[in-house]
Amino acid sequence: MTIDSGVFAPSSTSRVLGDTMQINPGDTVLDAGCGSGVLSFVAARAGASRVIGCDVSQPAIDCANANARRLGLDDITEFRCGSLLEPVSDIRADTVIADISGVPDAVAEATGWFPDGRGGGPTGAELPIAMLADIKNHLTPHGRVYLPTATLQDESKVLRAARRVFGDDMRALASRDFPLPNAISRAKDVARLISDGVIRLNQRGSRLFWRLTVWSCGPA
């Protein structure tokens, strides 16, 4: 794979999702916020019969299409440009990979993780919540969603929104801790989010850590 300039690079979340998610042979998979397509290709190689990725960034879609051709997976994968789930209104998937940007805009700006400098809204919950409001319309009756949440966002808001959709059909599959550079935590707007309790960090010695959790939402 190659990652073009201006395209979000695979992250710690991508790696944990790739290790955690299970794809059944013949699944139709929807990869929301596909970026360069890395998780789409993991799903394709795990046995999915069709994978549709979507992303708001046209450079990301162009990159994903080029990677699909390079990997010989362009007969299984398809990539569409548009906001959230709008470009896949015709898709009902057995599995949804719901890795929509979920860090506050202030963190996105301070870290440089996102090419356009924007994250998932003021608290990092706004974009995932908007996606969750529509997600049931894109699932087969027994479909499942792999949803990452983090203490680097207003995680409680995201989980409340997910539980409104899935009720008790939610299981934490994996949790991992990752360091946050102290310089980022001291950035003015990030420090305010920490002070307000939106971002929750654990300190170990001189280092600060945030926690990622991957959830399986839907029938077991």
Side-chain angles (χ1 to χ4, degrees), residues 106 110 182-192:
N182 289 339
I184 293 171
S185 68
R186 290 194 292 266
K188 180 180 177 181
D189 289 339
V190 177
R192 178 181 54 80

Side-chain angles (χ1 to χ4, degrees), residues 130-181:
M131 173 198 63
L132 286 165
D134 187 39
I135 204 160
K136 269 290 184 78
N137 294 324
H138 300 275
L139 286 170
T140 59
H142 298 288
R144 63 195 174 280
V145 175
Y146 289 106
L147 175 70
T149 65
T151 61
L152 205 54
Q153 64 185 167
D154 194 335
E155 188 177 36
S156 62
K157 283 186 178 179
V158 179
L159 290 174
R160 284 197 298 271
R163 290 191 173 104
R164 284 195 294 270
V165 177
F166 297 103
D168 293 332
D169 287 336
M170 292 179 57
R171 296 159 299 284
L173 298 181
S175 291
R176 302 284 188 275
D177 290 341
F178 298 99
L180 185 71

